[in-house]
Amino acid sequence: MPIPLVNSIASWFLKKRISQIAFFLNNPNEVQLELLMSLISTAKNTEIGKQYDFSTITNYKTFTERIPVTSYEEIQPMIERSRRGESNIFWPKPIRWFAKSSGTTNAKSKFIPVSDDSLELCHYAASKDLLCMYLNNNEGSQLFNGKSLRLGGSKELYEQNGTFFGDLSAILIDNLPLWAEFSSTPSNKVSLMGDWEVKIDAIIAETLKENVTSLAGVPSWMLVLLNEVIVQTKKEHLFEVWENLEVYFHGGVSFVPYEEQYRNLLPKPDFKYYEIYNASEGFFAIQDRNNSDELLLMLDYGIFYEFIPMETYHTLDQKIIPLSDVEIGKNYAVIITTNAGLWRYKIGDTIRFTSINPYRVKVTGRTKHHINVFGEELIIENAEDALKRVCIATKAEIVEYTAGPIFMKNKEKGAHEWIIEFKKMPENIDEFAFLLDEALQNINSDYEAKRFNNLTLNSLKLHVARTQLFYDWLKKNDKLGGQHKIPRLSNQRIYLDELLQMNTLQ
Protein backbone atom coordinates (compact mmCIF):
# COMPACT_ATOMS: atom_id res chain seq x y z
CA MET A 1 0.00 0.00 0.00
CA PRO A 2 1.48 3.41 -0.95
CA ILE A 3 2.72 5.49 2.00
CA PRO A 4 0.50 8.57 1.27
CA LEU A 5 -2.60 6.34 1.26
CA VAL A 6 -1.56 4.73 4.57
CA ASN A 7 -1.10 8.18 6.11
CA SER A 8 -4.48 9.31 4.79
CA ILE A 9 -6.27 6.29 6.25
CA ALA A 10 -4.45 6.71 9.56
CA SER A 11 -5.41 10.38 9.69
CA TRP A 12 -9.09 9.55 9.07
CA PHE A 13 -9.12 6.84 11.72
CA LEU A 14 -7.31 9.11 14.17
CA LYS A 15 -9.92 11.86 13.99
CA LYS A 16 -12.77 9.37 14.38
CA ARG A 17 -11.23 7.52 17.30
CA ILE A 18 -10.14 10.64 19.23
CA SER A 19 -13.80 11.67 19.47
CA GLN A 20 -14.70 8.21 20.82
CA ILE A 21 -11.95 8.42 23.42
CA ALA A 22 -13.22 11.86 24.42
CA PHE A 23 -16.64 10.29 25.13
CA PHE A 24 -15.34 7.82 27.73
CA LEU A 25 -13.08 10.50 29.20
CA ASN A 26 -16.16 12.63 29.83
CA ASN A 27 -18.43 9.76 30.91
CA PRO A 28 -16.09 7.15 32.46
CA ASN A 29 -18.38 5.60 35.06
CA GLU A 30 -21.40 5.50 32.77
CA VAL A 31 -19.33 3.82 30.03
CA GLN A 32 -18.03 1.22 32.49
CA LEU A 33 -21.47 0.39 33.89
CA GLU A 34 -23.00 0.09 30.43
CA LEU A 35 -20.13 -2.18 29.40
CA LEU A 36 -20.65 -4.41 32.47
CA MET A 37 -24.33 -4.86 31.71
CA SER A 38 -23.51 -5.66 28.08
CA LEU A 39 -21.02 -8.36 29.15
CA ILE A 40 -23.59 -9.89 31.52
CA SER A 41 -26.28 -9.87 28.84
CA THR A 42 -23.97 -11.43 26.25
CA ALA A 43 -23.00 -14.29 28.57
CA LYS A 44 -26.37 -14.94 30.24
CA ASN A 45 -26.88 -18.28 28.45
CA THR A 46 -23.39 -19.62 29.11
CA GLU A 47 -22.76 -22.22 31.80
CA ILE A 48 -21.45 -19.59 34.21
CA GLY A 49 -24.26 -17.21 33.23
CA LYS A 50 -26.85 -19.78 34.22
CA GLN A 51 -24.95 -20.72 37.39
CA TYR A 52 -25.15 -17.14 38.67
CA ASP A 53 -28.45 -16.28 36.93
CA PHE A 54 -27.02 -13.44 34.86
CA SER A 55 -30.47 -12.81 33.36
CA THR A 56 -31.65 -11.23 36.64
CA ILE A 57 -28.57 -9.09 37.32
CA THR A 58 -29.61 -5.51 36.63
CA ASN A 59 -27.07 -3.43 38.58
CA TYR A 60 -23.55 -3.39 39.97
CA LYS A 61 -24.66 -4.22 43.52
CA THR A 62 -26.32 -7.48 42.46
CA PHE A 63 -23.29 -8.31 40.32
CA THR A 64 -20.96 -8.03 43.34
CA GLU A 65 -23.30 -9.95 45.65
CA ARG A 66 -23.75 -12.85 43.30
CA ILE A 67 -20.43 -13.39 41.54
CA PRO A 68 -17.34 -14.13 43.64
CA VAL A 69 -13.86 -12.77 43.00
CA THR A 70 -11.73 -15.55 41.49
CA SER A 71 -8.13 -16.53 40.87
CA TYR A 72 -6.72 -18.68 38.07
CA GLU A 73 -6.57 -21.77 40.27
CA GLU A 74 -10.31 -21.53 40.92
CA ILE A 75 -11.31 -21.35 37.25
CA GLN A 76 -8.61 -23.65 35.85
CA PRO A 77 -10.97 -26.68 35.56
CA MET A 78 -13.32 -24.65 33.32
CA ILE A 79 -10.40 -23.42 31.22
CA GLU A 80 -9.13 -26.97 30.76
CA ARG A 81 -12.58 -28.04 29.60
CA SER A 82 -12.57 -25.19 27.10
CA ARG A 83 -9.14 -26.23 25.84
CA ARG A 84 -10.51 -29.73 25.27
CA GLY A 85 -13.12 -28.33 22.93
CA GLU A 86 -16.17 -27.59 25.10
CA SER A 87 -17.90 -24.31 24.27
CA ASN A 88 -20.31 -21.86 25.91
CA ILE A 89 -18.74 -22.33 29.35
CA PHE A 90 -17.78 -18.76 30.27
CA TRP A 91 -18.24 -16.97 26.94
CA PRO A 92 -20.85 -17.73 24.22
CA LYS A 93 -18.41 -17.68 21.30
CA PRO A 94 -15.79 -20.41 20.73
CA ILE A 95 -12.40 -19.80 22.39
CA ARG A 96 -9.66 -20.87 19.99
CA TRP A 97 -6.67 -19.16 21.55
CA PHE A 98 -5.06 -19.45 24.98
CA ALA A 99 -2.24 -17.16 26.06
CA LYS A 100 0.32 -19.28 27.86
CA SER A 101 1.72 -17.45 30.83
CA SER A 102 3.58 -18.43 33.97
CA GLY A 103 4.38 -14.86 35.01
CA THR A 104 7.68 -14.61 36.85
CA THR A 105 7.47 -17.93 38.64
CA ASN A 106 8.48 -21.50 37.93
CA ALA A 107 4.90 -22.61 38.56
CA LYS A 108 2.81 -24.60 36.15
CA SER A 109 1.81 -22.54 33.14
CA LYS A 110 -1.47 -20.67 33.01
CA PHE A 111 -3.62 -20.71 29.88
CA ILE A 112 -5.60 -17.48 29.67
CA PRO A 113 -8.57 -17.57 27.25
CA VAL A 114 -8.38 -15.12 24.33
CA SER A 115 -11.67 -14.75 22.48
CA ASP A 116 -12.15 -13.28 19.02
CA ASP A 117 -13.86 -10.35 20.75
CA SER A 118 -10.88 -9.68 23.00
CA LEU A 119 -8.50 -9.94 20.04
CA GLU A 120 -10.40 -7.44 17.91
CA LEU A 121 -12.07 -5.15 20.44
CA CYS A 122 -9.29 -5.07 23.01
CA HIS A 123 -5.79 -6.02 21.86
CA TYR A 124 -5.96 -4.84 18.25
CA ALA A 125 -8.11 -1.83 19.13
CA ALA A 126 -5.47 -0.81 21.67
CA SER A 127 -2.68 -1.15 19.12
CA LYS A 128 -4.55 1.20 16.80
CA ASP A 129 -5.22 3.62 19.67
CA LEU A 130 -1.54 3.65 20.56
CA LEU A 131 -0.70 4.76 17.03
CA CYS A 132 -3.55 7.28 17.08
CA MET A 133 -2.34 8.91 20.26
CA TYR A 134 1.25 8.95 19.12
CA LEU A 135 0.39 10.50 15.75
CA ASN A 136 -1.98 12.98 17.38
CA ASN A 137 0.87 14.18 19.61
CA ASN A 138 3.52 14.17 16.86
CA GLU A 139 2.10 15.66 13.68
CA GLY A 140 5.39 15.54 11.80
CA SER A 141 5.84 11.82 12.37
CA GLN A 142 7.22 9.70 9.54
CA LEU A 143 6.22 6.48 11.28
CA PHE A 144 4.52 4.94 8.24
CA ASN A 145 7.44 5.69 5.95
CA GLY A 146 9.13 2.64 7.43
CA LYS A 147 8.46 -0.46 9.50
CA SER A 148 8.08 -1.38 13.14
CA LEU A 149 10.63 -3.82 14.55
CA ARG A 150 8.47 -6.03 16.77
CA LEU A 151 9.84 -8.53 19.24
CA GLY A 152 7.39 -11.32 20.06
CA GLY A 153 7.27 -14.79 21.52
CA SER A 154 6.83 -18.26 20.08
CA LYS A 155 3.80 -20.39 19.21
CA GLU A 156 2.77 -23.98 19.80
CA LEU A 157 -0.32 -25.85 18.67
CA TYR A 158 -2.43 -27.75 21.18
CA GLU A 159 -3.09 -30.60 18.79
CA GLN A 160 -5.76 -32.62 20.56
CA ASN A 161 -8.60 -30.31 19.64
CA GLY A 162 -7.20 -27.66 17.31
CA THR A 163 -6.97 -24.91 19.91
CA PHE A 164 -3.78 -22.88 19.98
CA PHE A 165 -1.57 -21.73 22.80
CA GLY A 166 1.56 -19.59 23.03
CA ASP A 167 2.79 -16.22 24.23
CA LEU A 168 0.20 -13.49 23.84
CA SER A 169 2.56 -11.70 21.46
CA ALA A 170 2.70 -14.81 19.28
CA ILE A 171 -1.10 -15.05 19.18
CA LEU A 172 -1.32 -11.41 18.15
CA ILE A 173 1.33 -11.79 15.46
CA ASP A 174 -0.27 -14.91 14.05
CA ASN A 175 -3.62 -13.12 13.69
CA LEU A 176 -2.36 -9.78 12.40
CA PRO A 177 -4.26 -8.23 9.48
CA LEU A 178 -2.30 -7.91 6.24
CA TRP A 179 -1.79 -4.15 6.59
CA ALA A 180 -0.17 -4.63 10.01
CA GLU A 181 2.06 -7.45 8.79
CA PHE A 182 3.10 -5.31 5.81
CA SER A 183 4.24 -2.53 8.16
CA SER A 184 6.18 -4.80 10.54
CA THR A 185 9.50 -6.61 10.58
CA PRO A 186 10.74 -9.34 10.93
CA SER A 187 8.49 -11.76 9.05
CA ASN A 188 5.93 -13.84 10.91
CA LYS A 189 8.07 -16.93 10.32
CA VAL A 190 11.03 -15.42 12.16
CA SER A 191 8.88 -13.70 14.79
CA LEU A 192 7.38 -17.03 15.82
CA MET A 193 10.63 -19.00 16.04
CA GLY A 194 10.90 -20.81 19.35
CA ASP A 195 14.67 -20.95 19.91
CA TRP A 196 15.55 -17.49 21.26
CA GLU A 197 19.29 -17.69 20.53
CA VAL A 198 18.70 -18.73 16.91
CA LYS A 199 15.86 -16.29 16.56
CA ILE A 200 17.87 -13.23 17.61
CA ASP A 201 20.35 -13.72 14.74
CA ALA A 202 17.49 -14.30 12.30
CA ILE A 203 15.77 -11.08 13.42
CA ILE A 204 18.95 -9.07 12.92
CA ALA A 205 19.56 -10.59 9.48
CA GLU A 206 16.05 -9.60 8.34
CA THR A 207 15.78 -6.16 9.93
CA LEU A 208 19.15 -4.59 9.11
CA LYS A 209 18.05 -4.04 5.51
CA GLU A 210 14.74 -2.42 6.50
CA ASN A 211 13.89 1.22 7.15
CA VAL A 212 12.91 0.76 10.80
CA THR A 213 11.07 3.76 12.23
CA SER A 214 9.79 2.25 15.50
CA LEU A 215 10.54 -0.47 18.00
CA ALA A 216 7.98 -2.54 19.93
CA GLY A 217 8.61 -5.08 22.65
CA VAL A 218 9.50 -5.85 26.27
CA PRO A 219 12.42 -3.61 27.42
CA SER A 220 14.58 -6.38 28.86
CA TRP A 221 14.53 -8.59 25.76
CA MET A 222 14.57 -5.69 23.30
CA LEU A 223 17.74 -4.46 25.01
CA VAL A 224 19.39 -7.85 24.46
CA LEU A 225 18.49 -7.68 20.77
CA LEU A 226 19.64 -4.07 20.30
CA ASN A 227 22.95 -4.66 22.05
CA GLU A 228 23.56 -7.59 19.71
CA VAL A 229 22.74 -5.32 16.74
CA ILE A 230 25.49 -2.97 17.91
CA VAL A 231 27.94 -5.87 18.32
CA GLN A 232 27.23 -7.31 14.86
CA THR A 233 27.22 -3.98 13.01
CA LYS A 234 30.11 -2.44 14.99
CA LYS A 235 28.18 0.84 15.18
CA GLU A 236 28.29 3.37 17.99
CA HIS A 237 24.52 3.74 18.32
CA LEU A 238 21.29 2.65 16.65
CA PHE A 239 20.77 5.74 14.51
CA GLU A 240 23.80 4.60 12.52
CA VAL A 241 21.84 1.41 11.78
CA TRP A 242 18.33 2.85 11.34
CA GLU A 243 18.59 6.59 10.86
CA ASN A 244 14.83 7.20 10.86
CA LEU A 245 14.02 5.59 14.23
CA GLU A 246 11.66 7.90 16.13
CA VAL A 247 9.81 5.95 18.85
CA TYR A 248 9.98 2.88 21.08
CA PHE A 249 6.65 1.36 22.22
CA HIS A 250 7.32 -0.70 25.33
CA GLY A 251 5.55 -2.57 28.11
CA GLY A 252 5.58 -5.77 30.12
CA VAL A 253 8.13 -4.67 32.72
CA SER A 254 9.13 -1.35 34.24
CA PHE A 255 11.30 0.77 31.96
CA VAL A 256 13.12 2.42 34.87
CA PRO A 257 16.05 -0.05 35.24
CA TYR A 258 16.81 0.11 31.51
CA GLU A 259 16.26 3.80 30.81
CA GLU A 260 19.88 4.94 30.85
CA GLN A 261 21.03 2.10 28.60
CA TYR A 262 18.37 3.01 26.03
CA ARG A 263 19.44 6.67 26.16
CA ASN A 264 22.97 5.55 25.31
CA LEU A 265 21.78 3.38 22.42
CA LEU A 266 19.42 6.09 21.13
CA PRO A 267 21.22 9.38 21.81
CA LYS A 268 18.72 11.84 20.37
CA PRO A 269 16.88 14.20 22.75
CA ASP A 270 13.70 14.10 20.65
CA PHE A 271 13.48 10.30 20.45
CA LYS A 272 10.14 9.23 21.92
CA TYR A 273 9.23 6.49 24.38
CA TYR A 274 5.61 5.35 24.68
CA GLU A 275 4.58 2.91 27.40
CA ILE A 276 1.68 0.47 27.34
CA TYR A 277 0.10 -1.67 30.06
CA ASN A 278 -1.12 -4.99 28.74
CA ALA A 279 -1.16 -8.61 29.81
CA SER A 280 -2.45 -11.96 28.64
CA GLU A 281 -5.81 -11.06 30.14
CA GLY A 282 -6.23 -7.79 28.24
CA PHE A 283 -4.89 -4.41 27.19
CA PHE A 284 -5.51 -1.89 29.94
CA ALA A 285 -3.76 1.45 29.56
CA ILE A 286 -1.74 3.58 27.14
CA GLN A 287 0.60 6.53 27.52
CA ASP A 288 -1.39 9.29 25.85
CA ARG A 289 1.08 12.20 26.12
CA ASN A 290 4.68 12.77 25.08
CA ASN A 291 7.28 12.54 27.85
CA SER A 292 4.83 11.23 30.43
CA ASP A 293 5.12 8.37 32.89
CA GLU A 294 1.35 8.11 33.41
CA LEU A 295 -0.94 5.79 31.47
CA LEU A 296 -4.53 6.52 30.44
CA LEU A 297 -6.87 3.73 31.57
CA MET A 298 -8.85 2.65 28.49
CA LEU A 299 -12.48 2.10 29.40
CA ASP A 300 -14.15 0.82 26.21
CA TYR A 301 -12.16 -2.32 25.35
CA GLY A 302 -14.65 -4.80 26.81
CA ILE A 303 -13.01 -4.78 30.25
CA PHE A 304 -14.87 -3.81 33.43
CA TYR A 305 -12.57 -2.77 36.28
CA GLU A 306 -12.74 -3.24 40.03
CA PHE A 307 -10.06 -2.69 42.65
CA ILE A 308 -8.97 -3.91 46.07
CA PRO A 309 -7.15 -1.33 48.25
CA MET A 310 -3.88 -3.05 49.13
CA GLU A 311 -4.14 -2.14 52.80
CA THR A 312 -7.14 -4.52 52.96
CA TYR A 313 -5.88 -7.15 50.47
CA HIS A 314 -6.26 -10.72 51.81
CA THR A 315 -7.49 -9.46 55.20
CA LEU A 316 -10.83 -9.92 56.94
CA ASP A 317 -11.56 -6.30 56.07
CA GLN A 318 -10.88 -6.71 52.34
CA LYS A 319 -13.15 -4.51 50.27
CA ILE A 320 -13.72 -4.29 46.54
CA ILE A 321 -14.59 -1.00 44.87
CA PRO A 322 -15.58 0.13 41.36
CA LEU A 323 -13.62 2.67 39.34
CA SER A 324 -15.83 5.52 40.60
CA ASP A 325 -14.54 5.03 44.18
CA VAL A 326 -10.78 4.98 43.63
CA GLU A 327 -8.53 7.63 45.17
CA ILE A 328 -5.33 9.25 43.93
CA GLY A 329 -2.13 7.90 45.48
CA LYS A 330 -3.50 4.63 46.86
CA ASN A 331 -2.16 1.24 45.81
CA TYR A 332 -4.78 -1.15 44.40
CA ALA A 333 -4.94 -4.76 43.24
CA VAL A 334 -6.75 -5.02 39.90
CA ILE A 335 -9.84 -7.16 39.25
CA ILE A 336 -11.28 -7.49 35.73
CA THR A 337 -14.39 -8.81 34.00
CA THR A 338 -13.77 -9.24 30.27
CA ASN A 339 -15.10 -10.11 26.83
CA ALA A 340 -13.00 -13.29 26.96
CA GLY A 341 -15.13 -14.69 29.78
CA LEU A 342 -13.05 -13.77 32.82
CA TRP A 343 -15.46 -12.83 35.64
CA ARG A 344 -14.14 -10.77 38.57
CA TYR A 345 -10.67 -12.17 37.95
CA LYS A 346 -7.62 -11.13 39.99
CA ILE A 347 -4.81 -10.50 37.49
CA GLY A 348 -2.13 -10.13 40.17
CA ASP A 349 -1.06 -6.58 39.25
CA THR A 350 -1.07 -3.52 41.47
CA ILE A 351 -1.54 0.04 40.24
CA ARG A 352 -1.68 3.54 41.66
CA PHE A 353 -3.95 6.27 40.31
CA THR A 354 -2.19 9.53 39.51
CA SER A 355 -5.35 11.23 38.23
CA ILE A 356 -9.10 10.57 38.30
CA ASN A 357 -10.10 13.15 35.69
CA PRO A 358 -9.19 11.43 33.46
CA TYR A 359 -8.24 8.11 35.06
CA ARG A 360 -4.48 7.74 34.72
CA VAL A 361 -2.35 5.12 36.45
CA LYS A 362 1.12 3.84 37.13
CA VAL A 363 1.85 0.13 37.46
CA THR A 364 3.42 -0.43 40.88
CA GLY A 365 4.06 -4.17 40.93
CA ARG A 366 2.50 -7.54 41.58
CA THR A 367 0.39 -8.70 44.50
CA LYS A 368 2.76 -11.64 44.99
CA HIS A 369 6.00 -9.79 44.29
CA HIS A 370 6.81 -7.54 47.18
CA ILE A 371 8.64 -7.90 50.50
CA ASN A 372 6.47 -7.63 53.58
CA VAL A 373 8.05 -10.16 55.93
CA PHE A 374 8.61 -7.50 58.60
CA GLY A 375 5.70 -5.15 57.83
CA GLU A 376 7.79 -2.98 55.51
CA GLU A 377 5.47 -3.25 52.45
CA LEU A 378 8.28 -2.80 49.92
CA ILE A 379 6.83 -2.84 46.40
CA ILE A 380 8.53 -2.90 43.01
CA GLU A 381 7.81 0.78 42.40
CA ASN A 382 9.73 1.65 45.60
CA ALA A 383 12.66 -0.55 44.62
CA GLU A 384 13.00 0.85 41.12
CA ASP A 385 12.63 4.48 42.21
CA ALA A 386 15.41 3.91 44.74
CA LEU A 387 17.66 2.16 42.21
CA LYS A 388 17.17 4.98 39.72
CA ARG A 389 18.21 7.60 42.29
CA VAL A 390 21.30 5.66 43.35
CA CYS A 391 22.37 4.88 39.78
CA ILE A 392 22.21 8.59 38.94
CA ALA A 393 24.23 9.45 42.05
CA THR A 394 26.90 6.79 41.44
CA LYS A 395 26.84 6.78 37.59
CA ALA A 396 26.09 3.05 37.66
CA GLU A 397 23.95 1.09 35.18
CA ILE A 398 21.92 -2.01 36.06
CA VAL A 399 21.12 -5.01 33.87
CA GLU A 400 18.86 -6.99 36.24
CA TYR A 401 18.21 -7.46 39.96
CA THR A 402 16.20 -9.37 42.52
CA ALA A 403 15.78 -9.12 46.27
CA GLY A 404 14.38 -11.17 49.14
CA PRO A 405 14.36 -11.35 52.92
CA ILE A 406 16.97 -12.49 55.39
CA PHE A 407 14.77 -14.11 58.02
CA MET A 408 15.28 -13.55 61.75
CA LYS A 409 16.94 -16.44 63.57
CA ASN A 410 18.98 -17.00 66.74
CA LYS A 411 18.01 -13.53 67.98
CA GLU A 412 19.52 -12.00 64.82
CA LYS A 413 17.53 -9.26 63.15
CA GLY A 414 16.21 -9.55 59.64
CA ALA A 415 17.29 -7.65 56.54
CA HIS A 416 16.82 -7.49 52.79
CA GLU A 417 19.30 -9.24 50.53
CA TRP A 418 19.88 -8.04 46.97
CA ILE A 419 21.73 -9.41 43.99
CA ILE A 420 22.36 -6.95 41.15
CA GLU A 421 23.98 -7.41 37.76
CA PHE A 422 25.63 -4.20 36.63
CA LYS A 423 26.40 -3.09 33.12
CA LYS A 424 28.45 -0.25 34.58
CA MET A 425 29.74 -0.84 38.10
CA PRO A 426 29.73 1.93 40.71
CA GLU A 427 33.16 2.94 41.90
CA ASN A 428 32.36 1.85 45.45
CA ILE A 429 29.89 -1.01 45.90
CA ASP A 430 29.61 -0.44 49.67
CA GLU A 431 28.62 3.17 49.02
CA PHE A 432 26.03 1.96 46.47
CA ALA A 433 24.52 -0.40 49.07
CA PHE A 434 24.45 2.36 51.71
CA LEU A 435 22.80 4.83 49.34
CA LEU A 436 20.26 2.20 48.20
CA ASP A 437 19.27 1.48 51.79
CA GLU A 438 18.99 5.20 52.46
CA ALA A 439 16.91 5.80 49.33
CA LEU A 440 14.50 3.00 50.25
CA GLN A 441 13.98 4.62 53.65
CA ASN A 442 13.31 7.99 52.04
CA ILE A 443 10.76 6.48 49.66
CA ASN A 444 9.03 3.98 51.97
CA SER A 445 8.12 5.14 55.49
CA ASP A 446 7.32 1.57 56.63
CA TYR A 447 10.80 0.41 55.63
CA GLU A 448 12.25 3.49 57.34
CA ALA A 449 10.40 2.66 60.56
CA LYS A 450 11.70 -0.92 60.57
CA ARG A 451 15.23 0.31 59.87
CA PHE A 452 15.17 3.02 62.56
CA ASN A 453 18.13 2.34 64.87
CA ASN A 454 18.20 -1.19 63.41
CA LEU A 455 15.23 -2.03 65.64
CA THR A 456 13.76 -4.68 63.32
CA LEU A 457 15.87 -4.65 60.15
CA ASN A 458 19.59 -4.38 59.66
CA SER A 459 21.03 -2.61 56.64
CA LEU A 460 20.52 -4.43 53.36
CA LYS A 461 23.07 -6.92 52.05
CA LEU A 462 24.18 -6.56 48.44
CA HIS A 463 25.81 -9.09 46.09
CA VAL A 464 27.25 -8.28 42.67
CA ALA A 465 26.08 -10.76 40.05
CA ARG A 466 28.46 -12.09 37.44
CA THR A 467 27.86 -11.15 33.82
CA GLN A 468 24.80 -12.87 32.31
CA LEU A 469 23.77 -14.51 35.57
CA PHE A 470 20.11 -13.64 35.11
CA TYR A 471 20.20 -14.62 31.42
CA ASP A 472 21.66 -18.00 32.40
CA TRP A 473 19.03 -18.43 35.12
CA LEU A 474 16.24 -17.78 32.61
CA LYS A 475 17.87 -20.18 30.12
CA LYS A 476 18.15 -22.88 32.78
CA ASN A 477 14.44 -22.48 33.50
CA ASP A 478 13.52 -22.45 29.78
CA LYS A 479 12.37 -18.84 29.93
CA LEU A 480 14.47 -17.08 27.31
CA GLY A 481 12.72 -14.41 25.24
CA GLY A 482 9.04 -13.74 24.87
CA GLN A 483 7.27 -12.28 27.89
CA HIS A 484 9.31 -13.97 30.60
CA LYS A 485 10.46 -11.70 33.41
CA ILE A 486 12.91 -11.67 36.29
CA PRO A 487 11.17 -11.91 39.71
CA ARG A 488 12.09 -8.55 41.26
CA LEU A 489 10.94 -8.95 44.86
CA SER A 490 9.78 -11.95 46.83
CA ASN A 491 8.68 -12.78 50.38
CA GLN A 492 10.57 -16.06 50.00
CA ARG A 493 14.20 -16.87 49.14
CA ILE A 494 13.53 -19.38 46.33
CA TYR A 495 14.77 -17.23 43.43
CA LEU A 496 17.43 -15.46 45.47
CA ASP A 497 19.04 -18.65 46.79
CA GLU A 498 19.10 -20.26 43.34
CA LEU A 499 20.69 -17.17 41.79
CA LEU A 500 23.24 -16.87 44.60
CA GLN A 501 24.19 -20.51 44.14
CA MET A 502 24.63 -20.05 40.39
CA ASN A 503 26.65 -16.91 41.06
CA THR A 504 29.02 -18.87 43.30
CA LEU A 505 29.40 -21.88 41.03
CA GLN A 506 30.62 -19.95 37.97
Side-chain angles (χ1 to χ4, degrees):
M1 186 179 295
I3 296 300
L5 181 56
V6 172
N7 286 329
S8 177
I9 293 172
S11 177
W12 174 84
F13 181 84
L14 168 65
K15 292 174 183 176
K16 181 180 178 182
R17 180 54 182 156
I18 290 297
S19 65
Q20 294 170 342
I21 291 172
F23 181 78
F24 80 65
L25 291 180
N26 294 325
N27 307 277
N29 300 311
E30 294 85 353
V31 166
Q32 276 281 280
L33 184 57
E34 183 179 342
L35 189 153
L36 173 62
M37 301 316 297
S38 174
L39 292 172
I40 291 170
S41 176
T42 301
K44 65 184 178 183
N45 292 321
T46 62
E47 181 178 313
I48 198 167
K50 292 176 181 177
Q51 178 183 351
Y52 294 110
D53 195 11
F54 279 13
S55 62
T56 63
I57 296 177
T58 58
N59 54 55
Y60 175 67
K61 184 174 184 293
T62 308
F63 171 73
T64 61
E65 291 171 345
R66 197 171 295 174
I67 303 173
V69 171
T70 59
S71 64
Y72 181 82
E73 290 70 24
E74 291 168 307
I75 62 173
Q76 183 181 15
M78 286 196 306
I79 290 176
E80 286 306 307
R81 287 171 53 202
S82 182
R83 290 185 66 213
R84 290 195 297 267
E86 289 189 53
S87 59
N88 207 40
I89 299 173
F90 40 77
W91 194 244
K93 300 175 185 178
I95 306 289
R96 295 179 297 161
W97 298 94
F98 294 84
K100 182 180 178 182
S101 170
S102 58
T104 53
T105 74
N106 290 317
K108 185 178 179 180
S109 294
K110 298 178 181 179
F111 295 89
I112 306 300
V114 179
S115 67
D116 289 345
D117 287 335
S118 63
L119 270 178
E120 293 297 330
L121 304 177
C122 181
H123 293 289
Y124 288 143
S127 299
K128 295 171 189 174
D129 281 354
L130 176 62
L131 294 175
C132 279
M133 291 178 185
Y134 176 75
L135 293 171
N136 191 50
N137 295 332
N138 300 278
E139 292 184 2
S141 169
Q142 299 298 307
L143 197 66
F144 291 123
N145 287 349
K147 294 190 175 184
S148 175
L149 195 169
R150 63 191 180 191
L151 187 57
S154 58
K155 184 191 76 171
E156 297 177 66
L157 177 66
Y158 186 63
E159 297 180 3
Q160 278 187 312
N161 48 52
T163 60
F164 300 83
F165 68 88
D167 287 349
L168 173 67
S169 58
I171 293 173
L172 297 178
I173 288 170
D174 198 71
N175 287 279
L176 279 177
L178 284 176
W179 68 266
E181 186 176 345
F182 172 79
S183 62
S184 302
T185 187
S187 63
N188 282 11
K189 180 180 178 181
V190 169
S191 292
L192 297 174
M193 290 174 68
D195 187 324
W196 166 255
E197 293 177 327
V198 173
K199 175 177 176 175
I200 195 169
D201 286 331
I203 291 174
I204 293 172
E206 276 201 14
T207 58
L208 287 182
K209 61 189 177 186
E210 300 285 0
N211 175 28
V212 174
T213 54
S214 67
L215 307 170
V218 176
S220 51
W221 295 111
M222 181 63 77
L223 190 61
V224 173
L225 171 66
L226 298 181
N227 280 327
E228 185 61 24
V229 168
I230 294 296
V231 169
Q232 292 192 21
T233 60
K234 298 181 171 60
K235 302 295 185 182
E236 290 293 320
H237 54 72
L238 290 170
F239 297 118
E240 293 182 353
V241 182
W242 301 298
E243 62 180 350
N244 296 314
L245 265 178
E246 60 176 82
V247 60
Y248 173 31
F249 302 110
H250 63 87
V253 298
S254 170
F255 190 59
V256 173
Y258 310 103
E259 186 174 352
E260 190 59 32
Q261 294 178 69
Y262 274 94
R263 306 285 182 199
N264 292 335
L265 286 169
L266 298 156
K268 278 186 182 178
D270 60 345
F271 185 82
K272 301 294 190 300
Y273 297 87
Y274 264 61
E275 185 176 358
I276 61 172
Y277 172 30
N278 70 333
S280 299
E281 296 86 353
F283 204 122
F284 310 127
I286 298 172
Q287 179 183 328
D288 64 318
R289 299 175 295 179
N290 286 340
N291 306 314
S292 174
D293 60 356
E294 300 171 295
L295 307 179
L296 180 68
L297 193 64
M298 305 301 289
L299 304 179
D300 61 352
Y301 287 168
I303 299 174
F304 178 78
Y305 294 98
E306 296 176 275
F307 305 92
I308 304 174
M310 282 304 290
E311 65 263 27
T312 72
Y313 188 77
H314 276 187
T315 70
L316 294 176
D317 298 322
Q318 176 174 292
K319 61 179 181 177
I320 301 162
I321 61 174
L323 182 65
S324 57
D325 290 350
V326 300
E327 298 176 38
I328 293 174
K330 282 194 172 184
N331 210 30
Y332 295 100
V334 182
I335 299 171
I336 58 172
T337 293
T338 79
N339 54 7
L342 296 174
W343 298 95
R344 306 197 83 195
Y345 179 83
K346 293 185 289 187
I347 63 173
D349 288 348
T350 60
I351 64 171
R352 175 169 52 83
F353 283 86
T354 58
S355 165
I356 56 174
N357 185 25
Y359 288 102
R360 288 196 176 98
V361 302
K362 287 186 178 181
V363 182
T364 55
R366 300 278 295 170
T367 54
K368 293 183 179 179
H369 296 135
H370 60 279
I371 306 178
N372 192 34
V373 173
F374 312 100
E376 65 275 46
E377 284 289 356
L378 187 72
I379 61 176
I380 292 173
E381 184 184 40
N382 299 156
E384 298 194 336
D385 283 351
L387 285 169
K388 183 176 181 178
R389 294 184 190 186
V390 179
C391 282
I392 290 172
T394 61
K395 296 182 171 58
E397 293 181 13
I398 288 175
V399 176
E400 295 289 358
Y401 74 91
T402 195
I406 298 175
F407 296 106
M408 295 179 178
K409 60 180 180 180
N410 301 325
K411 297 183 179 180
E412 292 181 9
K413 294 168 185 172
H416 289 183
E417 190 165 9
W418 293 65
I419 181 165
I420 301 176
E421 182 181 340
F422 292 93
K423 182 175 182 181
K424 183 181 179 183
M425 283 282 295
E427 288 186 9
N428 187 320
I429 195 65
D430 292 331
E431 179 192 28
F432 186 97
F434 174 81
L435 291 175
L436 178 57
D437 192 77
E438 195 172 62
L440 289 169
Q441 292 182 60
N442 291 334
I443 290 167
N444 184 315
S445 59
D446 291 322
Y447 182 76
E448 181 183 37
K450 302 302 181 291
R451 284 282 296 114
F452 182 71
N453 288 336
N454 294 347
L455 285 176
T456 304
L457 291 177
N458 287 325
S459 180
L460 65 83
K461 184 177 182 180
L462 175 61
H463 304 271
V464 176
R466 62 172 174 79
T467 301
Q468 286 203 307
L469 172 67
F470 289 90
Y471 183 95
D472 292 342
W473 181 83
L474 287 166
K475 185 175 182 178
K476 175 185 173 185
N477 289 285
D478 194 27
K479 290 180 176 291
L480 285 182
Q483 296 166 293
H484 299 302
K485 308 161 191 173
I486 296 295
R488 300 300 197 195
L489 304 176
S490 176
N491 264 342
Q492 304 296 324
R493 293 185 56 89
I494 299 170
Y495 314 119
L496 186 64
D497 284 341
E498 188 173 350
L499 285 158
L500 288 171
Q501 183 179 23
M502 290 180 66
N503 201 45
T504 303
L505 293 175
Q506 296 185 36

